Amino acid sequence: MTETINTAAPPTHPVRQLLAASVGNAVEWYDWYAYTFLATYIADQVFPKGAENSLVPLLATFAVFAVGFFMRPVGGLVMGAVADRRGRRAALTVTILLMGGSSLLVGITPTYASVGVLAPIVLVLARLLQGLSVGGEFAASTTFLVESAGPGRRGLFSSFQYVSTSIGQLIASGVAAVLVATLAEGQMDGWGWRVPFLAGAVLSLVGFWIRQGAQETRSEVHERPGLFDALRQYPRQSLLICGITAGGTLAYYTWTSYLPTYAELNTDIDKSQALTVGTISLAFFALLQPIGGMLSDRFGRKPLLLFFGLGFALLSVPLLHSLTGSFASLLFAQCAGMVLLTGFTSISAAVNAEVFPARVRAAGIGFPYSLTVALFGGTAPYMGTLFKDLGHSGLFPWYVAVLCLVSSVVYLRLPESAHRELDR
């Protein structure tokens, strides 16, 4: 089936383009992390307590969280195809409406005491929608960001993918902390935990309004690609995305999400100190991203990718073994890891976009990337806890190191694409 779309002109308002792409990503991750921060309150209200095991509700809450991860590849494929067939802006509009709807649904989820089993069913539906929108958001916003960049600035624009992610995480942790500090326990249990999700729905509407003024980046289309065209026609490139992403997503979720818990499990550090370190290092990480993007525009993508991959392959074990239970040791390990991690995160959007032609770029990135994140990034906390439970906690740093080494081999064989013209 064919269709003609007006050829996209070079974006005339790059700041608005950046804002349009970033706002959805920030709202997405705000909602994603608000769920983790408020999991204990959700568990008490939505799931029945097990008579023999008080952890049953919390485990069920995190199981629902995991379900969202495995909807991401579906979102990456479906919404990526929408972006390739209908345009990037159309896909970004759908994803931000999906994320607003899922956030609203969590905020109005009834309690188990009031409607019984319908309560967890509503929550599962909300998280399925959220997972779908996360996968779709990455596919659409990655292509939109990189295609919005002017000559020699794709790396810089790419870096805002993780700047906005970090901002969303920081806002989520701040909102949750303020609510817990200001509301009585009964208020948090009763209605306080719903506030961040209702606010997320409102933020989505703001993002929707911003995106209406964004400029389409998709050039003229003469043929609509099929849903599986990217996988069928470019299998090597699809596998390449998996190899590029595997080590990066494991390191990212380990250092940005799991490290405070890892420190608590393996040292005697105080939980509040671990969370404080996590917040400081996340802000530091956000500031590093544009620097990494600009360096890649000047010196190329491969040097930064190898800095990340070989750095983690060599230093994951020493850094994680250096944790002593002190505030300083955790802060050093986490910030050092953030510096290395920037070699991947600041340019992953650009690297991925440069692998595929424009015709199938969004779907080509979305499915293999999201599948790899679900397999390696989403399971990082589980693997770390599993090694601890089996009495071999020291093996987890080696797991991170080996996977980063595998990705480094991929980076070595990757052709340099920083100074190549992007296919439009």
Side-chain angles (χ1 to χ4, degrees):
M1 182 176 182
T2 61
E3 178 184 83
T4 301
I5 304 175
N6 291 332
T7 302
T12 53
H13 301 287
V15 174
R16 179 138 196 171
Q17 296 291 97
L18 277 176
L19 186 58
S22 300
V23 67
N25 208 32
V27 172
E28 198 71 80
W29 287 92
Y30 161 85
D31 180 81
W32 195 261
Y33 277 86
Y35 186 91
T36 62
F37 292 134
L38 299 167
T40 55
Y41 299 101
I42 297 171
D44 287 342
Q45 297 299 310
V46 177
F47 292 96
K49 291 183 172 62
E52 297 180 0
N53 190 345
S54 61
L55 288 178
V56 167
L58 187 57
L59 289 171
T61 306
F62 280 120
V64 174
F65 179 77
V67 165
F69 260 102
F70 285 93
M71 280 299 292
R72 289 174 65 161
V74 179
L77 181 64
V78 174
M79 296 311 304
V82 171
D84 289 330
R85 291 165 65 90
R86 299 287 184 181
R88 316 310 189 204
R89 204 177 76 163
L92 289 171
T93 298
V94 175
T95 56
I96 202 149
L97 291 176
L98 273 176
M99 68 181 75
S102 64
S103 191
L104 177 63
L105 202 53
V106 174
I108 63 173
T109 296
T111 64
Y112 188 86
S114 62
V115 298
V117 73
L118 181 61
I121 290 174
V122 171
L123 186 63
V124 168
L125 176 61
R127 300 317 290 176
L128 289 174
L129 286 174
Q130 210 273 343
L132 190 72
S133 63
V134 168
E137 176 69 18
F138 182 87
S141 66
T142 292
T143 50
F144 182 83
L145 264 176
V146 177
E147 290 172 353
S148 293
R153 302 182 73 185
R154 293 199 302 265
L156 173 61
F157 272 54
S158 167
S159 70
F160 280 85
Q161 189 82 35
Y162 281 91
V163 170
S164 55
T165 295
S166 301
I167 289 172
Q169 292 173 251
L170 288 167
I171 293 173
S173 63
V175 169
V178 168
L179 286 171
V180 170
T182 57
L183 295 181
E185 188 171 344
Q187 291 175 312
M188 274 301 296
D189 286 332
W191 56 267
W193 65 270
R194 300 178 186 274
V195 172
F197 300 104
L198 298 175
V202 174
L203 289 173
S204 295
L205 292 177
V206 175
F208 174 78
W209 173 75
I210 291 172
R211 285 183 169 180
Q212 294 311 292
Q215 186 176 337
E216 178 58 60
T217 64
R218 182 70 163 96
S219 297
E220 185 177 347
V221 176
H222 295 289
E223 183 182 353
R224 289 185 183 179
L227 186 62
F228 297 101
D229 275 10
L231 289 171
R232 188 172 61 250
Q233 297 173 8
Y234 301 96
R236 178 183 171 276
Q237 286 85 343
S238 298
L239 289 173
L240 193 60
I241 295 292
C242 296
I244 291 168
T245 306
T249 188
L250 175 61
Y252 174 75
Y253 279 95
T254 298
W255 249 260
T256 64
S257 303
Y258 180 59
L259 196 58
T261 303
Y262 178 86
E264 290 170 43
L265 288 173
N266 294 281
T267 70
D268 58 356
I269 192 167
D270 178 72
K271 183 175 182 178
S272 63
Q273 284 191 325
L275 290 174
T276 300
V277 168
T279 301
I280 293 170
S281 60
L282 198 59
F284 173 63
F285 177 68
L287 294 173
L288 290 174
Q289 300 311 295
I291 297 172
M294 288 188 288
L295 286 173
S296 81
D297 284 332
R298 181 168 183 179
F299 299 108
R301 316 288 187 229
K302 284 182 70 171
L304 267 79
L305 289 172
L306 289 169
F307 169 74
F308 153 73
L310 295 176
F312 264 103
L314 293 171
L315 297 175
S316 292
V317 176
L319 284 174
L320 291 178
H321 283 175
S322 72
L323 299 176
T324 62
S326 71
F327 182 93
S329 73
L330 180 56
L331 183 62
F332 171 78
Q334 194 150 15
C335 286
M338 294 302 196
V339 173
L340 295 174
L341 189 56
T342 297
F344 169 79
T345 54
S346 63
I347 59 171
S348 64
V351 173
N352 289 340
E354 290 160 355
V355 167
F356 282 95
R359 191 179 77 89
V360 293
R361 180 171 289 138
I365 294 169
F367 180 74
Y369 174 87
S370 296
L371 180 63
T372 308
V373 169
L375 291 174
F376 297 105
T379 59
Y382 174 81
M383 293 300 295
T385 306
L386 178 64
F387 281 124
K388 174 68 175 178
D389 189 54
L390 295 174
H392 300 290
S393 59
L395 291 180
F396 180 69
W398 287 102
Y399 170 61
V400 177
V402 168
L403 202 59
C404 288
L405 183 61
V406 171
S407 283
S408 296
V409 175
V410 177
Y411 304 151
L412 278 170
R413 299 179 61 84
L414 198 66
E416 182 56 68
S417 57
H419 308 298
R420 245 177 22 206
E421 188 175 346
L422 186 70
D423 173 62
R424 295 182 184 274

